[in-house]
Amino acid sequence: MDAPVAPHRGAAPSFDRAVVKEHRLDLMIDATVYVVDDDPALRESLGYLLQSEGLIVRAFEGARQFLAEYDRNTRGCLVVDVRMPEMSGLQLQEHLAAEGSALPVIVITGHGDVPMAVKALKNGALDFIEKPFADQQLLDRVHEALDVDRRRFGERAKRDDILRRLGRLTKREREVMTGVAEGKANKVIAEELGLSPKTVEVHRARLMQKLEVDSLAQLMRFAILRERYGVPP
């Protein structure tokens, strides 16, 4: 990793940036901005700029070095030059997408590289910035990317929690849960599953305990969230 030493020259910061930065820092804890660029001067200046915002920065001279050290469980975003030797920024993005990575990507392009940047956008990149660019332009894109990552992280956490709770249920309890979520009475569920209404009541009480819900309304809300996040019953 290269230590940032020199600032990138660009537009002067606005007066209220310090206030905005303080507000955002609470949302960026543990988030890392990965900078991948084969230009040492740009790599260092970007690192200095981003660190001046209180952000955690890791810089790499190439895509393969990044892939070797990148922790897939880390939150953050990727700022990558579209043109690099061995593996381009576009190829790196495609590699991450093939892994199922949700890391937001910002592509840096030079003059004439716009078609490649457009392709990166079609492949899922968050945005691209054409050189030369102002400091604030990059900072705005990075904060946007970190906000996107924060939201995605929250969505993944909710989905994982649903999977964790569903994993406690037996097959029969899942069947009863599905019937309850469809608004069916215990007697109807019992007839469909070949059980007694009393047995359905027992399964229902147990599944509610395992799902950590205290009421029918909470159980219905859980069922709605399960469907929203695409989790099978």
Side-chain angles (χ1 to χ4, degrees):
M1 185 181 93
D2 298 282
V5 294
H8 172 72
R9 297 185 182 276
S14 59
F15 176 77
D16 61 350
R17 272 182 56 189
V19 176
V20 175
K21 178 169 65 176
E22 182 178 358
H23 173 71
R24 283 169 166 168
L25 284 178
D26 290 338
L27 304 178
M28 304 308 165
I29 297 174
D30 297 330
T32 300
V33 181
Y34 296 97
V35 177
V36 182
D37 198 304
D38 61 325
D39 182 343
L42 182 59
R43 196 165 63 240
E44 291 177 357
S45 64
L46 290 181
Y48 185 93
L49 172 66
L50 294 166
Q51 286 184 333
S52 73
E53 286 283 291
L55 298 169
I56 301 171
V57 183
R58 294 198 63 191
F60 302 88
E61 63 182 358
R64 298 195 185 282
Q65 181 191 14
F66 165 76
L67 288 172
E69 300 185 33
Y70 170 52
D71 181 356
R72 272 64 175 174
N73 296 317
T74 303
R75 293 172 54 193
C77 70
L78 171 65
V79 179
V80 59
D81 196 330
V82 73
R83 287 191 181 275
M84 294 184 294
E86 295 188 13
M87 179 183 286
S88 70
L90 194 59
Q91 291 172 321
L92 173 57
Q93 180 199 14
E94 291 172 347
H95 182 97
L96 291 172
E99 289 186 345
S101 171
L103 187 70
V105 178
I106 300 169
V107 175
I108 297 176
T109 69
H111 180 68
D113 289 334
V114 173
M116 295 181 66
V118 171
K119 184 176 181 181
L121 289 177
K122 291 181 178 179
N123 289 343
L126 183 68
D127 205 348
F128 74 90
I129 301 178
E130 190 174 4
K131 302 175 189 175
F133 52 83
D135 290 353
Q136 194 59 48
Q137 183 184 10
L138 176 70
L139 290 174
D140 288 344
R141 297 298 181 274
V142 166
H143 282 301
E144 179 184 354
L146 292 176
D147 286 340
V148 168
D149 179 70
R150 176 177 55 83
R151 291 194 297 271
R152 289 177 179 174
F153 181 84
E155 295 297 297
R156 290 196 299 270
K158 291 177 182 177
R159 190 176 191 277
D160 289 345
D161 180 59
I162 291 172
L163 287 170
R164 175 183 63 82
R165 290 194 267 176
L166 279 176
R168 300 169 178 168
L169 304 185
T170 64
K171 179 181 178 181
R172 183 64 79 190
E173 288 167 347
R174 285 173 180 250
E175 292 172 341
V176 172
M177 179 194 70
T178 299
V180 173
E182 292 174 351
K184 297 176 181 177
N186 287 350
K187 183 178 180 181
V188 175
I189 297 173
E191 291 177 354
E192 292 180 347
L193 299 180
L195 303 172
S196 68
K198 182 63 177 179
T199 300
V200 171
E201 289 180 9
V202 172
H203 283 309
R204 180 168 168 170
R206 287 176 178 172
L207 73 88
M208 291 181 67
Q209 182 180 23
K210 291 179 180 180
L211 293 178
E212 302 171 21
V213 297
D214 299 323
S215 66
L216 177 60
Q218 289 183 2
L219 179 59
M220 296 296 287
R221 183 173 182 274
F222 179 88
I224 292 171
L225 288 174
R226 178 191 63 74
E227 291 183 359
R228 179 184 301 171
Y229 292 111
V231 178

